[in-house]
Amino acid sequence: MNEYIIEMVGITKDFPGIRANDNITLRLKRGEIHALLGENGAGKSTLMSILFGLYRPDAGQILKDGRPVEVRDPNDANALGIGMVHQHFKLVHNFTALENIVLGVETTRNGALRMDQARTQVMALSEKYGLMIDPDAQIQDITVGMQQRVEILKMLYRENEILIFDEPTAVLTPQEIDELMDIMRGLAHEGKSILFINHKLAEIKQVADRCTVLRKGVLVGTVDVADTSVEDMAEMMVGRKISFGIDKQAADPGDVVLSVKGLSVAGRHDKRAVSDVSFDVRRGEIVCIAGIDGNGQSELVYALTGLMPVESGQITLNGADITHALIRKRNDAGLSHIPEDRHRYGLVLDYDLQQNLVLKKYHHEEMQHRSFIRVGSVRAHAERLIRQFDIRSAQGPDTIVRSMSGGNQQKAIVAREIDTDPEALIAVQPTRGLDVGAMIYVHEQLVRVRDQGKAILLISLELDEVFQLADRILVIYEGRIVAELDGKQATAQELGLYMAGSRKETA
Ligand SMILES: Nc1ncnc2c1ncn2[C@@H]1O[C@H](COP(=O)(O)OP(=O)(O)OP(=O)(O)O)[C@@H](O)[C@H]1O
Ligand SMILES: [Mg+2]
């Protein structure tokens, strides 16, 4: 038997304006977990999409068990036992979990759909691999972690042997990440072969056997993870040594900028999502809301930014009441927002990059005159941000944002929101999907904005990020602020107890 289940040999793929993959060779061993690492835009998703039949390579060959195969489309991939969980999931939102899993491979008898058999099989798989789901829940009502389990079950139901995960942990909570790591180990143990794109070096270290590194479309090399340090992997990836961690002086908070008093927000299914929350964010400080996903963070942010109405309470910005103000009005008063869902609230995917970068400003005098857009100004503005934030794309300001890599889409949002010179910046998971270099850059920018005397409200599920940036930490649990901690003194353990609701501070 061939040692390699899949070999991609000399793969080249061009897109207009860019060579996304340049003569890349990657060999996947049977039963291994193989990580794929590289900066944002390095060509990782492209390479995996070629293996899954979404793109045809311009040159190169794919071998399965040592024999050349054609992967013209995802049906071919499926027939070869290749499955993929995408960076942005591809589920039908108003179908149930079970319906999504069997979609395309339904069992029928005399032309009628037979779901009972499928249900038994799916539940058996779910049991076997510890992938707990509610088969009858609609996708739109379940958490991202659960959606991901549905995607994994979809591959297992199709008896896929080669499983591709494109940044599976970027959207998960720390608990879900641990679970996923266990599931991946279990799958590899069963003989499945796994390809795993990830920016988090610690996770690669934890779960992967080997790691292939790409840089700007080119293969840098493949290493055994056990023999390679996190620092070495990072250096392979960016081509120079990088220092982890950032310099941050103690905060020197000034006047209150953003103030929230007794805020309550309605949630789904007649439940309150946010209950009687009060806090202030002052000039020159980063206040972080920490909590397990689904404890009211999203609704709190939607209320602050005007995406959702408030039930009761008051929000003020520099003393002015904005509780019921229109979104445009909040923006013009100096509120910026890096949203959690970049596709839904952050970008217009079919606009080009320069249009997306000017979304918050196009109505300002510098960008338009008597309702005519100043084309030159818009372009110059985009070019400046592209340079400053190192936003990589195929065609610069003219690139349609949909075609950009996930991390570069994120960088575009961060650039736009920081550049509006906000009074208060609400940043939700600002570094989701960013490579380590870009992540450190964004962290430095947030600290810089703070030091310019702005107020920052950070919402993050990642404890590393919280400890790295927060001057003060507010813990949210079941829609209430249950603790306030000093960013310098709080420990992970203490924070964890509050986040899990097993400890309460009496305010
Ligand atoms: N469908 C497409 N059309 C045009 N250009 C594309 C398309 N898909 C990807 N590209 C370009 O190819 C390059 C590689 O993109 P890819 O999505 O593979 O990066 P990545 O390594 O997955 O990055 P990230 O970590 O940000 O997800 C990028 O410059 C991107 O703009
Ligand atoms: Mg990608």
Side-chain angles (χ1 to χ4, degrees):
M1 201 159 60
N2 203 306
E3 183 185 7
Y4 298 110
I5 187 160
I6 286 288
E7 293 163 85
M8 300 182 80
V9 184
I11 301 288
T12 294
K13 175 71 189 171
D14 288 324
F15 288 118
I18 198 159
R19 175 155 290 184
N21 288 167
D22 188 357
N23 190 24
I24 293 177
T25 294
L26 182 153
R27 295 193 163 88
L28 177 65
K29 286 184 189 169
R30 210 174 293 280
E32 77 167 335
I33 301 180
H34 193 128
L36 194 53
L37 178 67
E39 288 176 299
N40 297 128
K44 305 176 297 292
S45 294
T46 301
L47 188 68
M48 292 301 102
S49 299
I50 289 172
L51 182 56
F52 190 58
L54 289 170
Y55 298 133
R56 301 299 308 273
D58 296 308
Q61 208 172 31
I62 298 175
L63 307 165
K64 162 109 193 274
D65 294 318
R67 277 190 301 277
V69 289
E70 286 281 334
V71 195
R72 281 167 302 237
D73 55 34
N75 289 330
D76 276 357
N78 191 43
L80 290 164
I82 303 169
M84 180 162 179
V85 179
H86 296 271
Q87 192 164 4
H88 304 107
F89 299 157
K90 299 192 185 297
L91 296 167
V92 185
H93 280 217
N94 54 350
F95 275 23
T96 66
L98 183 64
E99 285 164 349
N100 268 283
I101 292 167
V102 302
L103 188 65
V105 289
E106 297 89 348
T107 331
T108 52
R109 190 185 298 157
N110 302 330
L113 196 58
R114 294 296 308 258
M115 287 300 259
D116 43 353
Q117 209 180 327
R119 176 183 296 266
T120 318
Q121 271 176 14
V122 167
M123 293 325 282
L125 285 169
S126 145
E127 188 75 28
K128 178 170 170 195
Y129 292 102
L131 292 156
M132 294 310 157
I133 57 153
D134 172 359
D136 302 309
Q138 286 199 358
I139 296 300
Q140 58 200 2
D141 293 332
I142 64 181
T143 63
V144 208
M146 185 103 72
Q147 292 181 20
Q148 186 178 65
R149 294 203 276 272
V150 172
E151 289 270 20
I152 299 173
L153 281 169
K154 215 173 144 176
M155 297 194 292
L156 297 175
Y157 186 69
R158 286 161 180 69
E159 300 186 344
N160 291 152
E161 291 294 318
I162 299 132
L163 312 179
I164 307 170
F165 291 86
D166 193 347
E167 288 190 46
T169 62
V171 292
L172 299 184
T173 64
Q175 289 78 1
E176 289 171 327
I177 291 174
D178 286 340
E179 282 167 29
L180 179 68
M181 299 280 159
D182 284 341
I183 291 164
M184 286 176 61
R185 277 195 209 97
L187 290 166
H189 192 72
E190 285 278 314
K192 309 269 185 198
S193 311
I194 299 178
L195 279 158
F196 171 49
I197 300 181
N198 201 339
H199 289 296
K200 298 182 199 156
L201 299 162
E203 290 173 10
I204 293 182
K205 202 69 190 152
Q206 206 182 327
V207 78
D209 300 303
R210 295 196 301 153
C211 177
T212 289
V213 184
L214 305 184
R215 193 191 311 147
K216 298 190 175 163
V218 179
L219 174 73
V220 181
T222 299
V223 294
D224 282 325
V225 170
D227 310 334
T228 315
S229 69
V230 165
E231 288 76 15
D232 289 344
M233 283 194 271
E235 189 176 341
M236 281 176 83
M237 171 177 137
V238 293
R240 62 186 153 81
K241 284 214 186 313
I242 58 172
S243 57
F244 293 85
I246 51 164
D247 278 339
K248 179 168 158 273
Q249 308 298 316
D252 180 19
D255 299 338
V256 172
V257 178
L258 181 68
S259 177
V260 176
K261 286 201 177 61
L263 188 72
S264 291
V265 185
R268 280 164 167 280
H269 310 305
D270 300 328
K271 267 177 50 189
R272 267 216 175 147
V274 177
S275 301
D276 194 22
V277 161
S278 301
F279 62 87
D280 291 333
V281 189
R282 296 169 176 274
R283 286 192 186 289
E285 69 169 349
I286 300 180
V287 174
C288 177
I289 307 254
I292 295 170
D293 200 15
N295 275 284
Q297 296 95 321
S298 304
E299 291 83 355
L300 171 63
V301 170
Y302 293 160
L304 295 176
T305 53
L307 287 163
M308 225 172 161
V310 311
E311 221 172 54
S312 55
Q314 197 189 31
I315 307 165
T316 56
L317 185 65
N318 283 334
D321 189 329
I322 57 160
T323 317
H324 306 287
L326 293 172
I327 296 178
R328 164 77 66 90
K329 210 152 165 235
R330 296 179 203 226
N331 292 340
D332 288 343
L335 192 68
S336 256
H337 176 207
I338 300 171
E340 64 179 325
D341 186 334
R342 57 181 168 242
H343 283 178
R344 199 149 158 212
Y345 296 119
L347 297 162
V348 185
L349 290 170
D350 291 314
Y351 281 11
D352 62 24
L353 182 53
Q354 57 184 331
Q355 289 166 331
N356 272 283
L357 288 173
V358 81
L359 281 181
K360 290 272 171 83
K361 282 196 176 163
Y362 67 91
H363 55 292
H364 293 180
E365 182 54 30
E366 52 169 322
M367 295 298 167
Q368 58 90 30
H369 182 63
R370 297 190 177 172
S371 297
F372 286 97
I373 295 285
R374 298 179 193 262
V375 181
S377 309
V378 169
R379 198 174 186 85
H381 172 253
E383 279 166 353
R384 179 171 60 76
L385 290 183
I386 289 170
R387 242 191 342 268
Q388 195 181 330
F389 285 82
D390 189 24
I391 306 170
R392 299 183 191 177
S393 66
Q395 290 159 311
D398 300 314
T399 313
I400 298 298
V401 166
R402 189 184 292 284
S403 80
M404 286 169 52
S405 81
N408 282 293
Q409 292 177 351
Q410 183 70 19
K411 284 197 236 171
I413 297 173
V414 172
R416 179 185 71 211
E417 297 302 317
I418 288 184
D419 186 66
T420 53
D421 194 20
E423 286 294 298
L425 170 64
I426 299 177
V428 189
Q429 300 274 89
T431 60
R432 179 177 276 182
L434 295 189
D435 66 57
V436 269
M439 183 186 80
I440 292 165
Y441 182 74
V442 168
H443 283 172
E444 284 167 355
Q445 293 307 305
L446 291 173
V447 172
R448 184 181 59 85
V449 170
R450 177 199 78 165
D451 291 343
Q452 287 170 350
K454 314 295 183 182
I456 299 184
L457 183 66
L458 172 75
I459 290 87
S460 180
L461 300 174
E462 284 182 50
L463 292 187
D464 285 349
E465 184 159 83
V466 173
F467 285 122
Q468 188 74 227
L469 293 176
D471 299 311
R472 272 196 298 140
I473 303 172
L474 304 173
V475 185
I476 192 166
Y477 177 72
E478 291 188 341
R480 293 175 187 276
I481 303 292
V482 294
E484 176 174 340
L485 310 168
D486 184 323
K488 283 191 301 295
Q489 283 160 16
T491 63
Q493 201 191 7
E494 185 186 12
L495 196 55
L497 286 174
Y498 284 116
M499 282 168 55
S502 41
R503 193 158 141 192
K504 273 200 181 86
E505 210 174 51
T506 35

